[in-house]
Amino acid sequence: MKVLVAVKRVVDYNVKVRVKSDQSGVDIANVKMSMNPFDEIAVEEAVRLKEKGVVTEVVAVSCGVAQCQETLRTAMAIGADRAILVETSVELQPLAVAKLLKALFDREQPGMVILGKQAIDDDCNQTGQMLAALARLPQATFASKVEVADGRASVTREVDGGLETLSVALPAVVTTDLRLNEPRYVTLPNIMKAKKKQLDVLKPEDLGVDVTPRIQTMKVTEPAKRGAGVKVPDVAALVAKLKNEAKVI
């Protein structure tokens, strides 16, 4: 079985994000970029399934600028067999990415598509669900455990108040949550091996997909700075402030 894993290049989670002076977006000039942490978990899970003998090939996919090749090389260092980059300088929104992944799904015919539940830059949590709808595939989101056997995937997912286990027929779309696994440390020998692995570069036009943005960002601003705290002498004063100033009771 072949598995398609989608990975996204995002601002590293350790970096303090800055808004551009013209409020047109986030400043990514000279900022450290890395693989989206949820997608790293997705790659790790696909590699683990391969190590169990369930999966025969892991194909990493990314959509975006040429520098996304670095992210794909990281995925191959973790254990992906080959990679595909859909290169474009256009700002890609979730629907456009889902359409590109749908085209690649039709082209590669994998038994499963695994991707992070959301990206830490836009936090949209939409691409996996949109892909499942476009490709008419069963989906299991927020996976904390994945088991594959007899042409089906048993996925334990995190829901409000507990866990839910779904059994879906393959092919299917699975999105990963934080508690699914802990990605392995990428060693230098594997990084060197990844440089020799196959990486194909396509354009959206090659897949027949229009990636024109449907949503326009009007303005991006930083959240308001938190005000200083106030000490109160007793409970009565606290209740009065909550009631009269904060108006929360």
Side-chain angles (χ1 to χ4, degrees):
M1 181 177 77
K2 182 192 298 184
V3 171
L4 205 65
V5 185
V7 298
K8 184 177 183 181
R9 178 177 180 264
V10 299
V11 175
D12 189 87
Y13 64 91
N14 288 313
V15 173
K16 180 175 173 54
V17 175
R18 300 188 306 273
V19 175
K20 291 181 180 178
S21 57
D22 60 359
Q23 297 186 329
S24 61
V26 172
D27 186 5
I28 60 172
N30 302 315
V31 170
K32 182 183 178 184
M33 308 291 282
S34 61
M35 186 188 303
N36 178 43
F38 290 102
D39 296 338
E40 196 172 355
I41 292 169
V43 176
E44 174 67 25
E45 190 63 23
V47 173
R48 290 189 185 189
L49 289 172
K50 183 183 176 184
E51 291 171 346
K52 291 177 183 177
V54 176
V55 171
T56 55
E57 185 182 24
V58 177
V59 183
V61 179
S62 190
C63 306
V65 295
Q67 290 88 334
C68 290
Q69 291 190 31
E70 300 168 11
T71 308
L72 290 171
R73 293 293 179 194
T74 302
M76 290 190 284
I78 294 173
D81 298 290
R82 58 187 177 91
I84 301 171
L85 169 62
V86 183
E87 186 179 339
T88 176
S89 58
V90 177
E91 178 198 352
L92 292 175
Q93 295 173 352
L95 179 59
V97 176
K99 288 180 177 179
L100 291 171
L101 293 177
K102 161 67 167 58
L104 289 171
F105 174 84
D106 294 339
R107 180 174 176 148
E108 294 287 335
Q109 293 295 305
M112 185 187 295
V113 182
I114 308 179
L115 59 164
K117 69 172 185 177
Q118 65 194 69
I120 62 171
D121 53 0
D122 55 21
D123 277 330
C124 281
N125 180 23
Q126 295 174 346
T127 305
Q129 293 88 329
M130 288 178 171
L131 171 61
L134 291 171
R136 298 182 180 274
L137 295 174
Q139 62 175 307
T141 55
F142 315 135
S144 60
K145 185 178 180 182
V146 178
E147 295 177 343
V148 178
D150 303 322
R152 299 188 71 85
S154 177
V155 180
T156 301
R157 59 191 301 269
E158 299 186 358
V159 296
D160 292 340
L163 299 174
E164 177 184 57
T165 301
L166 300 178
S167 178
V168 294
L170 299 177
V173 175
V174 176
T175 69
T176 60
D177 213 333
L178 279 175
R179 280 158 286 280
L180 179 57
N181 61 52
E182 185 175 341
R184 67 194 67 189
Y185 176 76
V186 180
T187 62
L188 182 59
N190 287 337
I191 293 173
M192 300 307 292
K193 289 176 185 176
K195 292 182 179 180
K196 299 180 181 179
K197 291 184 179 180
Q198 178 183 346
L199 195 160
D200 299 322
V201 179
L202 304 173
K203 299 287 185 182
E205 305 82 59
D206 300 333
L207 300 172
V209 177
D210 178 16
V211 294
T212 304
R214 262 60 173 184
I215 301 171
Q216 181 182 0
T217 301
M218 303 301 292
K219 183 170 68 171
V220 177
T221 59
E222 292 186 7
K225 287 185 168 52
R226 186 174 178 179
V230 177
K231 287 185 178 181
V232 292
D234 51 39
V235 174
L238 173 62
V239 172
K241 281 187 174 294
L242 291 174
K243 184 176 181 180
N244 301 324
E245 295 181 19
K247 299 188 183 300
V248 295
I249 59 173

